[in-house]
């Protein structure tokens, strides 16, 4: 479980995702695997076209449609190979010599699940190919991946650059503690300034856990800016990100707190849209 699986698809995020994968692989001293998945489109010829076209023309037209489908598949395959070659060359140029590539047929989620046993980190673009350029929230594939895999996921923004700081959203619950442990035990975030932010909730021991989290990070060599705040959780986090110009947001997935709603519920837009920052999701 030591490879960085980096998913590329030819969208506007491809170069940024490549950069994020290369950065992560270098930080973790891990092999880099570029993954391209060819998803099967819904084919028109599978529909019932009886009565839609005249007798005698139907057979010839369906044959042409089948040929077009085959051409489309070949083009998609070739495009994927070129994308993978470009990504590999980009990584090699940046000095990373442990580079692999693989192409799979099927959904990106299925492809990632097939490779997850060897994965230490999964890198995705915030929006995938086919998403509108004005689509501000997470791409439709993101939630599917996070629900299926148990490996940390780095969601790259379109302007990804090497981060120098990160915002750790810590709520004192079990999921947050597990995320904290991953941070201090892993090497991905070492050397980055940590903005530890806790928004007060109804836990009696939350403040003591917050202080314990700060101490643990300091003991492991992190430069920590710790803030224990009161108010609306989403407004506070958005304002904090803007005020301190952090480079990345780190969060634990599937918390029973409002942080879970931030990631997977109706409040995703509140947390993600306004910052355009990369997001590291820890399980």
């Amino acid at each position: 479980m030591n490879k960085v699986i980096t998913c590329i698809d030819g969208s506007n995020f491809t170069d940024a995702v490549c950069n994020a994968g290369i950065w992560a692989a270098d930080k973790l001293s891990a092999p880099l695997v570029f993954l391209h998945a060819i998803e099967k489109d819904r084919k028109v010829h599978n529909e019932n076209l009886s009565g839609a076209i005249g007798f005698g023309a139907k057979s010839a037209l369906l044959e042409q449609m089948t040929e077009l489908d085959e051409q489309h598949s070949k083009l998609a395959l070739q495009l994927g190979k070129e994308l993978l070659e470009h990504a590999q060359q980009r990584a090699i140029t940046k000095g990373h010599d442990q580079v692999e590539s693989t192409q799979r047929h099927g959904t990106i989620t299925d492809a990632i699940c097939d490779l997850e046993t060897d994965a230490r980190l999964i890198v995705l673009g915030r929006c995938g190919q086919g998403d509108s350029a004005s689509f501000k929230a997470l791409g439709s594939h993101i939630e599917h991946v996070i629900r299926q895999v148990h490996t940390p996921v780095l969601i790259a923004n379109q302007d990804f650059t090497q981060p120098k700081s990160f915002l750790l959203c810590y709520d004192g619950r079990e999921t947050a503690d597990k995320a904290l442990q991953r941070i201090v035990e892993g090497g991905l975030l070492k050397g980055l300034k940590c903005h530890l932010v806790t928004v007060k909730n109804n836990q009696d021991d939350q403040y003591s856990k917050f202080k314990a989290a700060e101490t643990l990070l300091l003991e492991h060599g992190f430069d920590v800016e710790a803030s224990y705040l009161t108010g609306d959780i989403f407004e506070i986090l958005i304002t904090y990100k803007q005020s301190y110009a952090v480079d990345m947001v780190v969060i634990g997935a599937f918390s029973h707190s409002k942080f879970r709603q931030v990631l997977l519920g109706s409040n995703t837009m509140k947390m993600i849209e306004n910052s355009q920052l990369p997001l590291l999701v820890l399980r």
Side-chain angles (χ1 to χ4, degrees), residues 3-54:
K3 295 181 179 180
V4 175
I5 310 297
T6 302
C7 308
I8 58 176
D9 63 358
S11 69
N12 291 335
F13 284 73
T14 297
D15 283 345
V17 171
C18 287
N19 290 338
I22 294 166
W23 168 77
D26 286 342
K27 287 281 289 184
L28 296 171
S29 298
L32 179 60
V33 178
F34 288 109
L35 168 64
H36 177 254
I38 303 174
E39 299 198 19
K40 186 176 179 63
D41 295 328
R42 180 170 173 264
K43 304 301 183 185
V44 177
H45 68 259
N46 288 333
E47 297 179 1
N48 181 4
L49 299 178
S50 58
I53 50 181

Side-chain angles (χ1 to χ4, degrees), residues 98-259:
Q98 299 182 77
V99 188
E100 306 171 27
S101 65
T102 184
Q103 196 170 41
R104 301 294 181 95
H105 288 269
T107 69
I108 187 63
T109 303
D110 290 341
I112 290 172
C113 289
D114 288 343
L115 299 174
E116 190 184 6
T117 54
D118 292 327
R120 184 171 179 181
L121 178 72
I122 296 163
V123 183
L124 298 166
R126 221 180 66 146
C127 293
Q129 190 177 40
D131 288 324
S132 168
S134 62
F135 186 67
K136 295 182 180 179
L138 299 179
S140 58
H141 58 294
I142 296 292
E143 184 172 338
H144 295 156
V145 171
I146 293 173
R147 288 189 179 278
Q148 292 292 324
V149 306
H150 298 85
T151 304
V153 177
L154 174 59
I155 303 167
N157 61 335
Q158 193 168 356
D159 301 315
F160 182 89
T161 56
Q162 180 174 327
K164 297 179 180 179
S165 63
F166 65 95
L167 167 62
L168 174 57
C169 308
Y170 179 82
D171 63 4
R173 292 186 166 90
E174 182 181 1
T175 303
D177 286 331
K178 288 181 178 179
L180 180 64
Q181 206 58 42
R182 278 188 175 271
I183 290 171
V184 299
E185 291 176 355
L188 185 64
L189 302 177
K190 286 292 179 71
L192 278 63
K193 181 179 178 65
C194 174
H195 291 264
L196 174 66
V197 177
T198 296
V199 180
K200 185 178 180 181
N201 59 26
N202 57 5
Q203 290 185 88
D204 294 334
D205 58 350
Q206 188 193 34
Y207 183 75
S208 62
K209 287 186 174 182
F210 162 74
K211 296 302 293 184
E214 179 185 10
T215 300
L216 182 64
L217 287 164
L218 290 170
E219 289 176 348
H220 282 79
F222 284 90
D223 179 11
V224 182
E225 178 84 25
S227 301
Y228 188 77
L229 306 173
T230 302
D232 180 85
I233 184 171
F234 307 112
E235 292 180 2
I236 286 175
L237 292 176
I238 290 172
T239 300
Y240 190 98
K241 288 188 295 182
Q242 294 171 342
S243 299
Y244 287 87
V246 296
D247 298 324
M248 179 184 293
V249 176
V250 180
I251 194 168
F254 303 112
S255 168
H256 293 295
S257 71
K258 290 184 179 180
F259 284 125

